[in-house]
């Protein structure tokens, strides 16, 4: 099969990591895989090298300083759509990984990693259209599939994520890399993915400050927030986070985007990883931490209980997060169960499941062609009044 996978960025966000790993695993099965993305910031390639068997198409996307978030979303869709439309007939499968690429690639199938609620009208419309209009849907967890079923009456297929467990286990053995982070950061709790409402960053800050204040053994602990890039405008939230950190008088380090070889030792050297997102689709960063033998404190969400079972500690409020962090720091759990769980989730297994799904879609299309609505007849993102159903 000739497969197009589409994502919205070259930078390391969860959906982008998923796209590249899936592309490489499908290519290893002998499929002809092409990844399409927007080359923001002048990027012509992804944040990490991609296997030579995968063809990368990075569509140039210039920055515009005065552009609003909504305008940038609309333009992102338009630019990617215009470039991809010239080649879409070359592919047997068109598979989008987010609302921007789905809107650009319709008709397509789409992975719904998680559901969100946006106040920016263009983002709300993008989100809604990318749930409703694809002709087939995948979710990476049953919990998100159930949300889609409850909200829209649709039935996605569930195919869990993989994880590069070997890479993060190697990070645990990288003494030089771990030492470099230890000398730079000291003892730290790590969170990945940026400072934004969905990540629960303010809750984590409050929990971290409470932990330091409650126990002198943790007063030298630093909160480290690593990686992450988003198209969305969270400047007010980031300003509130920074102001609260100053009020609390606690040390916070924000690394920004990390080089590919920096991440595994950064994760492995952490004393704990905190994943306190208010919404998640799977929790890939937590699985990477478990692969490195690092204890995890997770928000008590159905999706995270589905994926992680008893391998992580759960908490719902800042006070509970502080308590859970204190417990795993004082008495780290046996990492064996977490490592076993991570080893179970392979990208090879995910690729086999995706290929079988693609083959079913092609067989259905051959016997009863899927309606192919054209982009010109579909409501535009700029004018659509759709909002997410709750």
């Amino acid at each position: 099969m000739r497969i197009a996978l589409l994502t919205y960025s070259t930078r390391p966000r969860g959906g982008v990591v998923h796209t590249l790993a899936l592309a490489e695993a499908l290519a290893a099965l002998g499929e002809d895989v092409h990844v399409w993305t927007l080359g923001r910031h002048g990027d012509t390639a992804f944040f990490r090298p991609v296997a030579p068997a995968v063809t990368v198409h990075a569509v140039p996307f210039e920055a515009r300083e005065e552009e609003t978030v909504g305008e940038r979303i609309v333009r992102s869709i338009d630019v990617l759509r215009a470039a991809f439309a010239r080649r879409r007939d070359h592919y047997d499968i068109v598979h989008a990984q987010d609302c921007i690429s789905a809107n650009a690639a319709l008709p397509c199938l789409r992975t719904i990693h998680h559901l969100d609620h946006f106040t920016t009208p263009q983002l709300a419309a993008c989100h809604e259209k990318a749930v409703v209009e694809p002709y087939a849907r995948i979710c990476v967890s049953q919990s998100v599939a159930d949300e889609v079923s409850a909200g829209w009456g649709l039935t996605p297929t569930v195919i869990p994520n993989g994880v590069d467990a070997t890479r993060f286990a190697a990070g645990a053995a990288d003494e030089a890399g771990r030492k470099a982070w230890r000398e730079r950061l000291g003892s730290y709790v790590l969170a990945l993915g940026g400072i934004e409402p969905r990540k629960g960053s303010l809750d984590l800050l409050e929990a971290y400050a409470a932990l330091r204040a409650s126990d002198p053994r943790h007063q030298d602990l630093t909160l480290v927030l690593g990686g992450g890039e988003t198209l969305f405008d969270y400047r007010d939230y980031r300003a509130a986070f920074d102001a609260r950190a100053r009020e609390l008088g606690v040390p916070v380090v924000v690394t920004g985007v990390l080089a590919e070889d920096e991440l595994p030792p950064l994760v492995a050297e952490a004393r704990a990883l905190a994943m306190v997102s208010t919404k998640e689709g799977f929790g890939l960063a937590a699985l990477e931490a478990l692969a490195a033998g690092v204890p995890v404190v997770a928000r008590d969400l159905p999706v995270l209980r589905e994926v992680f079972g008893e391998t992580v500690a759960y908490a719902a409020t800042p006070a509970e997060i502080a308590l859970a962090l204190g417990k795993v720091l004082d008495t780290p759990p046996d990492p064996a169960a977490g490592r076993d769980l991570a080893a179970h989730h392979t990208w090879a297994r995910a690729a086999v499941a995706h290929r079988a799904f693609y083959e079913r879609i092609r067989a259905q299309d051959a016997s009863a062609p899927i309606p192919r609505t054209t982009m010109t007849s579909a409501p535009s993102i700029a004018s659509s009044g759709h909002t997410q159903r709750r």
Side-chain angles (χ1 to χ4, degrees):
M1 279 181 287
R2 200 167 197 209
I3 302 164
L5 299 180
L6 294 94
T7 187
Y8 73 95
S9 176
T10 56
R11 302 298 174 96
R13 296 289 289 180
V16 179
V17 171
H18 173 106
T19 304
L20 296 183
L22 176 60
E24 290 171 331
L26 285 166
L29 293 177
E31 306 300 341
D32 182 7
V33 185
H34 293 233
V35 175
W36 287 77
T37 190
L38 289 171
R40 304 176 192 279
H41 317 288
D43 290 350
T44 58
F46 280 97
F47 66 95
R48 67 164 177 86
V50 180
V54 176
T55 302
V56 172
H57 305 267
V59 179
F61 188 84
E62 65 180 22
R64 294 182 182 175
E65 294 296 329
E66 301 304 316
E67 195 171 43
T68 67
V69 173
E71 290 168 343
R72 189 161 66 249
I73 296 302
V74 172
R75 188 165 62 89
S76 295
I77 294 166
D78 289 344
V79 169
L80 184 56
R81 178 193 297 149
F84 183 67
R86 294 191 290 269
R87 298 286 299 277
R88 71 167 299 126
D89 289 345
H90 295 195
Y91 300 108
D92 302 304
I93 292 292
V94 176
H95 183 178
Q97 296 290 331
D98 51 78
C99 83
I100 289 171
S101 63
N103 276 270
L106 286 168
C108 65
L109 65 92
R110 191 252 168 129
T111 293
I112 303 171
H113 291 272
H114 67 272
L115 295 171
D116 216 328
H117 179 70
F118 296 112
T119 56
T120 301
Q122 295 92 336
L123 269 173
C126 177
H127 182 282
E128 174 79 4
K129 191 171 180 178
V131 172
V132 172
E133 295 202 11
Y135 57 79
R137 300 155 196 84
I138 295 171
C139 287
V140 294
S141 63
Q142 186 62 53
S143 295
V144 175
D146 290 344
E147 289 185 67
V148 173
S149 179
W152 288 268
L154 302 168
T155 307
T157 293
V158 177
I159 304 177
N161 272 330
V163 63
D164 191 350
T166 301
R167 176 172 167 244
F168 284 87
D174 181 1
E175 293 298 335
R178 293 182 63 173
K179 180 182 178 183
W181 284 117
R182 185 165 59 249
E183 290 177 346
R184 175 179 168 183
L185 300 171
S187 176
Y188 59 92
V189 168
L190 177 66
L192 295 174
I195 298 171
E196 57 186 78
R198 185 176 70 83
K199 294 295 182 181
S201 307
L202 277 168
D203 280 357
L204 177 57
L205 177 64
E206 296 290 347
Y208 159 66
L211 174 66
R212 281 172 49 95
S214 66
D215 192 330
R217 293 174 297 173
H218 302 311
Q219 287 182 356
D220 293 332
L221 196 66
T222 299
L223 176 61
V224 176
L225 297 108
E229 182 207 47
T230 180
L231 290 179
F232 311 142
D233 189 354
Y234 296 136
R235 285 175 293 183
D236 290 346
Y237 189 87
R238 174 63 187 270
F241 181 96
D242 291 342
R244 185 59 178 151
R246 289 192 296 270
E247 290 173 4
L248 293 167
V250 292
V252 177
V253 174
V254 181
T255 68
V257 176
L258 296 156
E260 180 72 355
D261 61 351
E262 292 179 311
L263 183 60
L266 173 69
V267 172
E269 184 57 26
R271 292 190 60 198
L273 181 126
M275 174 172 278
V276 298
S277 308
T278 59
K279 293 179 181 292
E280 279 291 343
F282 185 84
L284 185 56
L287 205 59
E288 292 168 344
L290 294 179
V294 175
V296 172
V297 172
R299 180 84 68 171
D300 195 354
L301 301 176
V303 61
L304 298 183
R305 286 198 176 267
E306 173 193 338
V307 175
F308 294 102
E310 299 305 315
T311 63
V312 306
Y314 296 99
T317 66
E320 292 176 1
I321 295 167
L323 183 61
L325 281 170
K327 286 182 177 178
V328 301
L329 291 172
D330 295 340
T331 309
D334 184 340
R339 286 182 172 136
D340 288 345
L341 178 66
H344 172 77
H345 286 281
T346 69
W347 284 112
R349 177 177 292 184
V352 168
H354 276 82
R355 182 167 67 176
F357 179 80
Y358 298 157
E359 289 170 348
R360 290 196 300 273
I361 292 297
R362 292 184 70 197
Q364 291 168 7
D365 196 14
S367 61
I370 298 166
R372 300 299 203 220
T373 58
T374 64
M375 291 307 303
T376 54
S377 64
S380 73
I381 289 298
S383 62
S384 173
H386 289 162
T387 56
Q388 180 185 343
R389 298 173 191 166
R390 302 302 297 170

